[in-house]
Structure formats: C-alpha cells, structure tokens
Amino acid sequence: MSDGTRLRQSWYNALSQSEDYFRTLLKSSASAEWKRIVTTLDSSSQRGKGKARASAAPELTDVIVHRRAPKSGDVVYRAVLDVSTGDEPALLDPWKSVLITPELRKEWDPAVEGAQLLEMLDPTTRVSKTNFTIGWPANPRDAVTISRTFNDATTLMDISTSLPRSLDEPAYLRPSPPYVRSNVKLFAWCIQHLQPSTQPAATAESAPAPGRLRITCFWQHDFKAMWNFGSASALSQQLAAMVLGLYKTVQNRGTHVPLLLGYGNGVSLERVRFDIDREALTVDYSIVPEEEDHGAHSIDNAQGLDLHSLKEHRRLLRSIECTLPASQGWDVQLTTKASSEKVERLPWNAQAIWDGPRKAAISQSPENEKFLFRVKHGSLPDDHSVLKVRVVIEISGPSPGLRLNGVPKSIDEIEERDPSSYFMSQQILQDATSTADLSFHTASTSSTAAGSVSSSSRTTTRPPLNRTPTERTAGAEKAILSQVRRKYIYFSSLLQEPEAKWKRTTEGRGVEVTQLDSIDPTLVVYRAEATFVGVGLWDLFGAIVTPGARVYWDKQHEDALLLEDVNELSELWHVKTKPAWPVNGRDSVLLRTVYKAPTTIHVFAFSADNLHLFPNVPPVDPNVIRTQVDLQGWSIEALSPTTTLVTLLEQSDPKGWSNKGSIPQQMITALTGVGEFAIKCGGPPAVTRLAGAKANEIRYDHERGNFRIEYEVSESRRTSSESNSGPNGNAPSTNVPLPVVECEIRCDMDTWASSLDIVVDPPPQSISCLRRHRLSTNGGGLWLTIFHDAVFASEERILVIIRKGPGKDKGVVMLNGAKANVDIEELPESEVKSLQKQKRVKPARIPLDQPPVMGVIRRRRAEWEGHVDVPSSQNGDSGDENQAPSPSSASFTSGPKFSSPLARFFTLAVEQATTTTQQAVAAMSPATLPGAQSMPSSSKSPMEHALEALSHVRSYYSTPSADGWTLVSEKGFPVYRKLIPEISTSIPVHKGEKVIEGVSAEEMAAVITSYGCRKQWDDRFDSAAVFEEYGARCHTAFLVTKGGFPFRDRGFYVASVLARSRPRAPISALSPRRNSGIETEQETPATVLCVTTSFSADSVASFSPAKYNPYNLPIGRFFIDAWILETLDPYTEENYAIPSTMCTRLVAADYAGSIPTAVNSMINGMLPRSILALETYMKGISPLPFTRMPRAGLFITDEKDDEPFKESSWAVMRRDRNRTLISAEYTPNELVHRSMITVLLSPLVSSSAGSISEDNTPRPSRISGSPLPEIKHSSHKSEDLTQSSATLRASTVAASSQDGLGSRETLRASNSAFNLRGTVKAPSDFILTEIVVDSKTYPEGYHVRLKSSIRDPKKKYVPRLLDNEVSLSQDEVVPVKTTVHVLPPSPLHSAGLNAERPPQHLVRLTIPTAQYQVSTIQDPLTGETRSAPPQPQWLLDLEEKGAVWIVEIRPAGASGKRDGMTVLVNDANVSIASEKESLTSLGRDELQNTRISKTIMLVRSPEAGDQIPEELRQPVAVSEHLYEAAILESLNTPEQSDGQTGEVSSMPEANQDTAGSANIPHGNPAPEGDTPLPAAGGGLLGFLNSYPNPLARFTSSASRASLPESPSSNLLSELPKCPPGGLAEVERPLALATLTSTAGRVYPLSTVLAVALIAFLLGSFLRSLLSPADFIYVVTDMKDVDESTVGWREIRRLLEIKYLIGGWDFQIAVVRRH
C-alpha cells in the first residue's frame, strides 16, 4: 500500500503542468489562432448601438469570447470582460473570496448544479468537486479539480485542472453514478486591475483613460460525450453568462463572504464549508502535535513554495487566520471538543486587528475595509492528544462589529505587515502584465470569425470516424435522430395536455385509464396512471426496461431480442407476444429511447420499419401479425423518495381481428404488474450507461436471478477528445486520458439481492462499487462501473454476468471470485426520517431533451436586465442598496447571542421568526416603539388608508420583483419577507403564494371576504363587527384575532376594499393596444384584490367600545393584509387544472402591546400559510352564492408610471346609478346567503319619436359622462332604465367636454329606436338583482325570501343588516318577478368542465316597469289613443324615495321530487328554466355576461384635489346597534325645520370640501372607562401587565359572544333616502359630530347584585382580620375543665348577626385548632 506520497506528488505535478499551459495561453493572447465567436447577442447589440445605455453596468454583449482550435483538436475558449472602475482603486479581495468559495459557483455559473470543497492541501491549494447540469437526458457530468490561487496588489489568478486517476485514489475520486466524471483540462481566471493611463500625450490632448478591471477566463473542458452539448454559439453564451454572473456575484456578495486566509503548523484542516443561505463559514480543524506536519511540509517545500509561505506557516503556529469585511457585523462561535477534559480546556486566544497596509490605501471607502481574525491555541500536553475545534463565522447584519461567543470583541489598531502577502510567481506575473495593453475587440473581423467558427465547429461536432462498410452514413444518423426528436415532442406534448382533454375510460386495481378527447375519430390515444408507494424511481425503471422482467409482469409477453444498439440513448428491439386462441401471435420492432433527469425518466418507443435506416429488421412471419406502434411511452416521476407516479401512453394498432378496445385492459395489467413486481422482487439490474462500446446482447432470467450483457468496443462511440488526443497536443500529456470502455449498471441490494456475484470476461482494468441509501436523492442502490482498456479489449467481446450471491452475507460484492471494495454513502438518521416524511410533490412536466443551461442563462439575463432598470426608477433607494443585507442574510438576526438558557431560547425564536430588528434585546421588546407608527394617522379617512394600501398592492402586482425578498421557510410552500419602507419602516411584509387548482378567483374571493367562512378556515380569526358600509363591499370593521397563550387577543380597526384589475400582461406581449381595462375584462378573467388595512380609532369615535370591544383588548395595526387572486391561463407549460388560481397573500401586522418582536414576526410568517387551510376548505365545499348584479367591488384602471400615487388623486365613476349593493353575508353552518340592495329609479321616459334619446338601454358613457370606452351588449334582452332627456343631454355635454373623447363615445352609442333587424325595440323590465347559485350547495332546493321597504326620507342612511334580524317586512311593497335559469358550463367555474357536477342557477329578480314605458299611439282606424297605464304609487316611491331589498337564500325542506330540486320564492314554487330554454329566452351572451360593465370604476386623476373621492368618505349604511342609546335617540329626531332644510339643500356645494376634509368624528371620543389600557412595558413578563383588573370584566354591558340587537324594532321601515349619484351621496348627521354624551353607563340588575355580593364578602373578610378573636375551650367531660391545657380553638368571625332568635347570635366564622 502506498502512503499517499506518490498520489499527492502526481496531483502537484498536474497542477504545475496546468500552470505552464496557462502561461503558454497568456503569451499567445495576441496570436492569430484566437478567433472571435460572433453570437446572436453580438449581432443584436450592433443594431442597437445608436441607443444610449441606461446604466454603466456591463451586459452580456460586453463579454468577448474567442476560440482557439489547433490541429490536435483541443479547443480552448477565452472570455474577456473589461469593466471601467474610474479613478477609484479596485480591491481584489472580494474576487478572491468568491472564487475560492466553491459553494458560490452555482450562483455565477449557469452550468453548475452544486460544488463543495473536498480537501485543502495548503492555504492556496484546494481540491473541489463540481456537479454540472450538462449531460441530461443521458447522464449528468461532474468533475474533481485541484486549484491554486495567486495574487498581488493588482492581479489575481486562479488555476484549476482535473486530478489524474490512480489506483490508490481516495473514495471521493471514484465515479459517483449517475454522474459521469468529466475532464477539466484547464479552468483559469485572471483578474487584472489596469491603472489609468498617465502618458504625456494623453494628458496634453485629453483626459487620462480611466482605470478598468479586466476579467479573463480560459476554459477547456471535455465532457466525455459522443456529441457536443451545444454549438459554439451556445457555448459562448454560456461562457459570457458565467463571466458576467461572476461579476454580479462579486458585486452582491463580495462583502458578505469571510475567507480562511491561512493556517500554520500544528493545525490539520478537516472540513471547510460555506452556507449560502446563512452566509456562514464553518471551519472544522484539529490541533495536532507538530511533528506530524513535517512530512507534509517537506512535500510542500518540494513543490517550490517560496520562503514567504514557509514563514507564514511557522508564524501561524497552532493558529488559523481569517479575513472579514469590516462593513458587516460578524458573529463568531468557537467550540472545542477533546477526549479528556484537560485537553478540552486548553487555553486559546482570539485577536481581531485592522488590516493595516490596506486600510491606509482605502481610507476613503469604509465599505472596503477589512480586519483579520486570528485564533491561537495552546500547546498540547502530550503527543497523543488531539483537540477538535469548530469555528462558525456568520454574518449578523449591516451594523459593523464583531462578537465572539456572544461577547463584543474590539478590533485593535495594530500596524503590522500584511499577513496575506502576495503569493505570485514572477514569471506568471510578467506573462499576465504583457496582455494588459491588448484590445480584444479587434482580434478578428466578423467575416473571418464567422468562417472560422463554422469550420472549427464542423471539426469538433463531427470528428473523423473510421467507419466500416456496415455502419450508417451521416445522413442516416441524422434521419434517425430526427425521428426520435419528433416522437419525443409528440410524447412530451401528450404528457402536458390538460386534464380537461382526457375523458375517463375505465379504472381498476388503482389504475385510471383515460382517452384523449380528439376531433379526429381515428386518433385513439390512451393514458394510464398509477401511483406506487414504497418503491423508488430506479427500481421501476429497471422493471420496465429489463427485457426478461417483462415476462414476469406481462403474461402475454413472450420474448424480446436486442437487434441493435443504435446510440447511447436508443436501442432497436424485436418484441414478441404469445398467441391466445383465436387470436394470432403478434410482434413489433421498436426503437426505444431513454431520457433521464434527476426526478423523472422517460422511456418511449415507436415502430421502426425502414430497412434503409435499420437493415437488421427481421422479415414478417406469415403466422404472426406485426403490430404498428405509433407511440408507447412510460413516464416515471418521483413524487417523494418513497412514492412514484407511473404514466403509460399508448397509441398503437394491433391489426388483425383485434381492435383497439382491448388496449385499456392491457394497460391496466401492465401497470399493476410492474408495480407488484417492483414492490415484491425489487428492481433487476439495468444498464444505465455504456461508453466507448455498443451492446450485442442483453438478457435477464428472473427465475435464476441472472443478468447478462455482452458488448464490444466501438470506435464510433469514443468521445472526440479521446479519438483526437495525441502527444502533439498543447495540453499536458499526463492529462490526456487513455481510451477506456465504461459500463455502468445499477443493482438493487435492498430487495432484489442482498449480495452479488459478478463475472467479467475479460477481467476489468478496474471496478467501482458505490452503494447509496435507498432514499438518497442521487439514486439509491448499488452502482457498478466496470472499466476496460479500449486498446487491449478491442479484439474481443466483453461479457458481464450478475447473479444473486449464494451466501447470507449482506452487502458483499464478489468479482471473479474475489471480494470487491464497496464504497458506502451513509445518510444521517435525521435526514432519513426527513426523507421518509417528505410530502409528495409532482415535478413539473418539462421536456427532458432541452438543455437546462440555456434556460438558466435566459432567466438570469432577464433578471440582470430588470436589475439594471431599477435604479433609474428609484432615485432615492439606489444609495442604500449596497448597505442593505443580502436576501439570504436578512433572514438571520445580527443581534448578540447570550449564553444563558432563557436567552438562547429567545435568540432561537428570533432566528426562526426572522425578526425585524438587529439586537436580541429588541427581540424581547415590542415590535414598534410607543408613538412610532403605532397607530395610523387620524387626519385620513378610513377609505383613504385602504386606497393607499390598494395602491401598494397594485404596484406590486403590476411590476413584481424578486429583489430583496428573503426566504423565511419552505415548509409546505415557500414564504418570503421584505422590508418595504413605503408600507412600514420596522415591520417586514411577509409573502406567500401558491397555485390552487380547480378553483376560480371569484369563488375564492367570495370565501375570503365572508367573515362567516373565515372563521372556518382561519384559526387566528375570532370575530368581526362591521361599523360602516360604503357600497360595493367596501366597509370598516373591528377585527379580533386570537393571540395565543400567554398573550391576549388583539383588536384591529380595519378598512377593507374589494377591487379588480386587469390581468398582468406577459413580458413577451407585443400588442401596442391599450384600453381602460373594462373591455379586456370581458375576455380575460380579472385579477381580484382583497385589501385590508388599519385606520385610526378616532374615525369611529361615535361607536361604543363597550359593545364591539367589551374586554378592552389591546389594539394592533394591520399595515397591509392583501390577497391577490389571479386566474391562470390553462394553456401554459405548468399543465394546471381548469380553472386554477394563483393565490398570493401579503401580510404586515403589528400586534402591539407587549408581544415581543420575535413572536410578532413569527405570527406574520405563519399568516401566509393560511393559503393551505384555505385550499383545504375550498376543496371541501361548493361554491358560495354570489350577487352578480349589482356588481361588488371596484375596477381599477391601469396605473401610469409617470403619475405616482402621491401626486394624483382618485375618482369614482358610477356605471350603475340605479342599484347599490350594500352588503353580502354568508353563514356556512346554515348555508344562508343574505344580500342587501338599495334601488332608486330614474324617471321613466316613454319611447316616443320626439324624445332626444330613444335608446332604452342607458350607455355607461352617458350615465357617468366618463371618457372611458364602454362595452356594447347587442344581445342583451334587458338592461337598465333610461334617464330623462335633461339628464341625457347634460351627460352628453359633460362627456363631450372632456378631452374630446365624448364625441367619439357619442358616435359609438347610436341613438336609434330600432334594432339591427329593423324592428322597434321593445321596452324591458328593470332588473333588480341577479344571483348565481350553485345547485350542489342546495341539492334539495333552496328558498328565496324577499324583504323590502320604502326608504324614509327622514333617515340619513340605511341601517346595516344584522344576522339575527327577524322583524323585517315581508309584504310585497313593490312587485317583483322571479325567474330561475340554468347557466351553460363555464371554464372559469370549478364545475364548468365536469359534466357530472350539478349546474349553476341564475336567480333573476325584475320589477315590472316595461308596461309603463309604452309610447302613446293613435289608432288610424278608430282614432282611439292608446297610452301607457298610469304609474302606481310604488313606482312613484321608487323614483322619489327609493327602496331597500334584503334577499335571503336558505336551504329548502325535503321536496317530493326524485329527479330535481325545488325553488321557492316567498313560499311560492318557481319553475327552473333548462339550459336550452334559457338560451332561447335570454341568449348565451346575456346568461354569461359577468356584468363587469356595471362595476364602479376607480380612476386615477392627475388633477389636483382630495386624495380620496367624496363618495368614499360618506358611508351608505351604518351599524346603529353599536351606537350609544343617546346617539340612537338623536338619529330619530329631526335636526332642523323644513325651511332650514330647504335652504341648506339649495346652497351650492361650497361646504362639501369643509365637511369632507375636516373629517369630523361621529361623536365624542370613547369614555375614559372604555379606553384601552396603554401598552405595557417590555421585558420577559411584560405581557402580564396588559391584563386589566379581573373585576373589570363584570362592568361590560355585553358579551363578546352575542352583541346586543338594535333598539329599533323594524329597521327597514325607517331606512333613509339615498339620492342618486356616487356610492353614497348622503351627509353624515350633524348630531354625530356635535353631540356631547352625558349619559352614564347602564348596567343590568344581575351585574349590580353580583358586584354587591362580592364587595360584601371582601369587606367581611377584611373586617375579620381587624376584629378580636374568640377563644373557645371544648371538652367532653366537665371534670377536665380546670386540668386540661389542650382543646382550645381560635374562631375568626366573618359574619355576625346578634340577637337573631331568642338571644341566639348568627355567626359565620373560620376555626383554627391549637
């Protein structure tokens, strides 16, 4: 056995040869052999050169890529990027930190999946392993490289090359299937800071050239593949993205990465790793006796280390040294561990000093300063002791400083030499300096470059092959690849078809078979799906592709013969099936291809009958029918480590008498057989890769447990680098690998066999055995890699036989009678348990043949381009961007960590809850300081706060950005947080988003806005009391949330608004057409925004806190609580169900009081997870009834970037002036829906010929005078009533006066009394409301109750509807006609595409007004004049006063119908019009009209004015039961006489601004006794101070569970009048603003008696403590009276009544025995 000296020597030799090769490339930088590669990016940038660049940041087009292709075939690429640095010095330390940290490579290299440091040979030399994403769908690639770093003041070099293979190599150098070990010949970086030009000629004529940073990368990588993974242009794009990604990473993370600078004698490094998310460097090392390091130092000295390095090694005796950026705060934790307590307590010393020489150079840039952290340990007591040390250096925030084990550590001002003095070879430095003045832009012309690229690409992609006469031509190979590609595109497109296009055929034994719903009847495609638990991905793969295993699980299968191994991924098979009388046997010739990915494997096959391409196809047997297989594909997807989804697609024609109807049953048999075989027998051996050879025969005998593969060396299968390698290449000769043949086989040693017996003939050159845990994400099982020398084995075939081991030993692998070494990858027990409990996640179905690298490049390029545009739009935030912590570091606190157990608990809570402060003391204090953003401003009305929050939500939705969002947790789904100063300067906004399939946005909005439903799915919601309604579901309320033990519940004054917006346009949208948003809403579902925010309690001061907050709960604040519900496009790559909704929740809440910041952030982080509870609730209920007309919510028009919110105001435009939806409530326990609607009709206009407007349908442009475009509904059968002539004339004039847009709208709305057919338009009835009811919610039917009342003009507004209100009028004050229609299926409804689901009903309520609109007609025969009947009183009342309707829908009783349901309207049965009848009577457009054109518009106006419209300042309905009794009495008394009323009403609107802007409260503020207690102080038990006196609970006049009812007996009989216009054009009563409440509290008699009794008992107890005690002597015998000294008892009187009866006293006392 070797001691490793020779192996280590070969590593250093390989690195030295790479350095020489790197010097050769540096010297040849000006050579003509370097040809520039012109990419599509360069050509596009040439066309756009005339445009000025928006930012000085480099772009992808700035990276110049050259290529050098010598005759040897070793192609080398060079990428150069020059970045201007100006006159400021450029530090290379951040570049060194990023390059040396391998974990960061996946952030700047798009082709890297992950990297880790394996071993650190010396402070400048390291061994790393890198996993690449390149290689799929065959096998991914990895590389193990050795790297060395050189640097001086202006130059940094990092050189890497692959480690040479050796027989005594360590385990990490052996293959790690399914990864294939690639060869990195050279991967080198050269970063040079070129100083500004100081030549005299330049200074005389012009300013000196600014300094620049030149980044040069040399790349030469052999992926060991038969073909290139991309063209030269694609590879150049990858290199350009890698160079630019490195620059971006250094800019973002350069000052956040600590660096291990060096270590000395007596230190043995064991592990160094960097956690990207925590931004923490962990160093594990051991203090060992110094004599053990002499051998290593001699090797290092033999490698030519200079004297400086040796001195540094001796200076850092038993020490390590790290460099830390001084601009950040750092927390260092140092722990020691040893076998004995004496060694563990050895002294150690830590010192932090400023980096002296560099501090003076960059004194003007404090953010570039750094300091050194050094730890020195004491000597060991003996030569047999070892001290284990772990140092964790973690970033703690932007505030600079250092803490060591929780104690602040000062940084000493010690001027000394730079310990990181430069380790740079002078020869390499001279070679690098010689290239400083070269210009790489003029290395070659475009034509020359293009020609060279084309020629060189032909040389690389198609190496010369020594073909035999039987091999295919290049055209035949291309034809086969084209067929495979077309079939795979078809296969992947079928997998991505939405579920709506598959109709269910049959189901059995856990397998569901569906058929593609196609227009073409001849296209028959079946799909079978099954989910298997307890079996892995690779076990099922082996059971499917192994030919002999199919005989076991498919009883019709007879045999499968390998005809030809076409290429690395495709094989030609001849499959035979058994005959079953009277059906003949069948066979098929299939070309099978396997594509693999980390979590998915695709196996697809199709018939191959072209003899020109496949000459080995056997002729057809006359007794056998050849089956035509258009496609047979298997998709194996890992849902979790223990669960796998298998999908089988079949499109074939069995020919003969057999038809395609038998295929579904065969698919069920196949899937169940595969699953049972894999679970019972495990996965048989399967060949996963064969490199440098082609298979001749693959056989598997399940009964004998014998797997056999025979293959031979193929010159055409050899990679291009192996075939072209020679001694004349420029690369070092030792790095050129000899041609080998590799055979990779995966075996199951958990179920199939416990041990293996392998026979290989001829014996292999080497074999690698790697066993992983069966739950490993890299593929469980035993992976065998057999190596043969291609030169010696070229003349004979290679045979591999794998059999089950005969012995009982487990995990033993015998190779040709000898025991082979097996490397085992163990998983920690905690990780195994985590993998076993991992939830099932269905991977995204994406094509596996597309390289993932290009997708990463496109995504990063889009992010970089978006990042460049950000500073131009944000003027003030660009300066703070560099000082803010990175997204990954923001999730961890920078506060100190104390050593006490209680403080550790709170510190852990702070880290897990992602606190918003940077000190641990603040983690135990309230989230916000008293008076700092604790309560909203009282100068703004409630709706003004709501519109501000709506503006923030709308801007986030319109322009989403991932910058600044920090990942908090990934449990369930990811939750992010970000501190947005515009919303809150101390409370971060938490965000969670998830796609909920099968539910539309409108259905979710109905559940979210219903307080009754919210209590079912939101475990933190307690109750809500609504104060005021502003119409369109905009309201204010008092919300109570549960605090959780030991904290009290919290109350919130919230204002909520329901709005809709246009769907977010995709990035690739090229349509220049813009509109107001209403027109697109009819075609595309609108995005629903449910926004809630807090407002000041002074705005609702007239309401009694004793009624809505009886427990004096602490008051918190919702900065924002928003739901964004976006109905997704079903025709996307994600393959979501129809419909599906992207649900996003943004939360920022301050629970105030004494809740610590850690708990506050923890609650905020849990609130977005309520999406999961909402999804579960939505899947378990039917859609709620909702009011379609009048429409709820507001519609927001597009926001312009040049009109920010602060410089504009909002305007409300009514499009329906006749109806207003006050409220809509739903009780889930009783399935009762209640909606409250007010109606005020405009005066009816007869359709006479002399009228100005003869159109009975009021156009929105005329009603509101809005310049917004309106939608024509030509097919609507009924619409609103027209306005009077004067109103129409005024509206037309007003519309035409606004920017000239009114004239265009007038032209669009034709004033014609005739329809398109030329007949006279018939007047229609007025639609009161339309309600959509899902019949599944009420399977037995439902009862519609109508309660109406004419409004009282004396009342100022409408009292709100109460849940317990039963005394409403049900008399038919106004006649209403009810019709029920069946709606046609809609894809935007969860039942729309399910034929088995009951349909939706449209309940339509109309008022008979058409008969009163008949024109006056004179009969020409009789002369009789016929006119409309006189208007009844109820119609006059609707025009003058208005009316209020309450529509209630509740389940009906059990009906006698068996095949239908009953619909009752006020106890009268109403027939249901079928879908056909509804389409005939109303039309499809009328039935499916969403009435979005009637939605209230919320428009942003650039004109100066109030921030909020007047319509949203005054409420429409008020909860009167929450007022005090004195205020209720004042509401029922008239304020002034009729004459005064007339004067006030005749005054112009001059005083409206005063009333609106003053924001006078309703009445007096809350009484002193009801004022909530002030926030308690901080501290551990500070939350206990927030509890009031327990006796104060008895002073409330009401209970939280049941609020008092309204004093009025009939609310609707006294509802006030609501004049037309606006959301609510009524004034708040003046009595509410001027009333002084003088009435005290009123308490019930029971409360008074309880308080009196308690006070009496407390007084008696206190009196007993002051009164003298009685001492009584108790004996049993009178003789013992004078003799006994025991028996005395002390009595304390609590209650005494003297002379009660006959001289007796009554006493209640306590007795104490002595």
Side-chain angles (χ1 to χ4, degrees), residues 1659-1672 1690-1698 1705-1711:
S1660 301
F1661 178 73
L1662 293 176
R1663 188 175 64 87
S1664 67
L1665 299 178
L1666 302 177
S1667 60
D1670 296 336
F1671 293 91
I1672 302 175
E1690 179 182 357
I1691 297 179
R1692 291 275 184 173
R1693 295 188 298 270
L1694 299 180
L1695 176 64
E1696 181 181 10
I1697 302 177
K1698 297 182 178 181
D1705 296 342
F1706 176 75
Q1707 292 183 356
I1708 298 177
V1710 292
V1711 180

Side-chain angles (χ1 to χ4, degrees), residues 414-491:
I414 299 179
E415 292 291 342
E416 62 177 26
R417 60 180 180 81
D418 186 8
S420 62
S421 291
Y422 317 120
F423 175 68
M424 170 72 76
S425 173
Q426 294 297 328
Q427 297 177 351
I428 297 182
L429 177 60
Q430 293 175 2
D431 297 335
T433 311
S434 62
T435 62
D437 298 331
L438 292 180
S439 176
F440 294 94
H441 290 270
T442 59
S444 63
T445 60
S446 301
S447 59
T448 307
S452 64
V453 168
S454 61
S455 61
S456 61
S457 62
R458 287 195 298 268
T459 304
T460 304
T461 55
R462 296 179 183 176
L465 301 177
N466 298 325
R467 300 184 181 275
T468 60
T470 58
E471 291 185 350
R472 292 186 182 87
T473 62
E477 295 279 358
K478 185 176 181 181
I480 294 176
L481 294 178
S482 178
Q483 287 187 9
V484 172
R485 182 182 180 186
R486 287 198 302 269
K487 289 297 181 181
Y488 184 70
I489 292 175
Y490 181 47
F491 171 67

Side-chain angles (χ1 to χ4, degrees), residues 1340-1355:
E1340 298 180 355
Y1342 50 91
H1343 192 177
V1344 182
R1345 297 182 183 272
L1346 301 178
K1347 305 175 184 179
S1348 59
S1349 176
I1350 300 296
R1351 296 183 57 176
D1352 188 355
K1354 296 181 181 179
K1355 302 289 291 184

Side-chain angles (χ1 to χ4, degrees), residues 1571-1591:
T1571 305
L1573 295 177
L1580 177 60
L1581 302 178
F1583 60 87
L1584 297 177
N1585 299 330
S1586 61
Y1587 286 95
N1589 192 333
L1591 299 180

Side-chain angles (χ1 to χ4, degrees), residues 253 256 258 273-282 330-331 333 390 392-397 886-893 897 911:
R253 288 187 178 268
H256 295 261
R273 66 184 185 275
F274 180 75
D275 192 341
I276 299 180
D277 297 331
R278 295 175 52 195
E279 293 190 342
L281 177 68
T282 303
W330 298 97
D331 188 3
Q333 296 288 335
R390 167 171 289 186
V392 181
I393 305 174
E394 181 180 354
I395 195 170
S396 60
S886 64
S888 60
S889 65
S891 60
F892 289 84
T893 178
K897 294 179 174 60
E911 293 178 352

Side-chain angles (χ1 to χ4, degrees), residues 626-681:
R626 180 150 295 180
T627 302
Q628 174 65 30
V629 179
D630 296 325
L631 178 66
Q632 184 185 72
W634 297 79
S635 175
I636 315 171
E637 300 169 289
L639 306 182
S640 70
T642 59
T643 309
T644 308
L645 173 65
V646 180
T647 304
L648 174 60
L649 293 174
E650 181 83 23
Q651 181 183 351
S652 61
D653 186 6
K655 302 292 183 66
W657 290 355
S658 300
N659 55 14
K660 301 179 181 179
S662 60
I663 295 179
Q665 190 60 38
Q666 296 176 6
M667 298 174 70
I668 293 178
T669 305
L671 254 73
T672 54
V674 167
E676 291 175 358
F677 177 83
I679 295 174
K680 180 179 179 181
C681 305

Side-chain angles (χ1 to χ4, degrees), residues 328-331 394-403 885 889-897 907 910-911 915-921 977:
Q328 305 294 330
W330 298 97
D331 188 3
E394 181 180 354
I395 195 170
S396 60
S399 57
L402 176 67
R403 286 185 177 273
S889 65
S891 60
F892 289 84
T893 178
S894 62
K897 294 179 174 60
T907 302
V910 168
E911 293 178 352
T915 59
T916 60
T917 59
Q918 300 299 328
Q919 300 296 330
V921 177
R977 73 180 183 98

Side-chain angles (χ1 to χ4, degrees), residues 804-820:
K804 296 182 180 180
K808 297 183 179 180
D809 297 335
K810 294 183 179 181
V812 178
V813 177
M814 303 295 294
L815 175 64
N816 293 340
K819 186 176 180 180

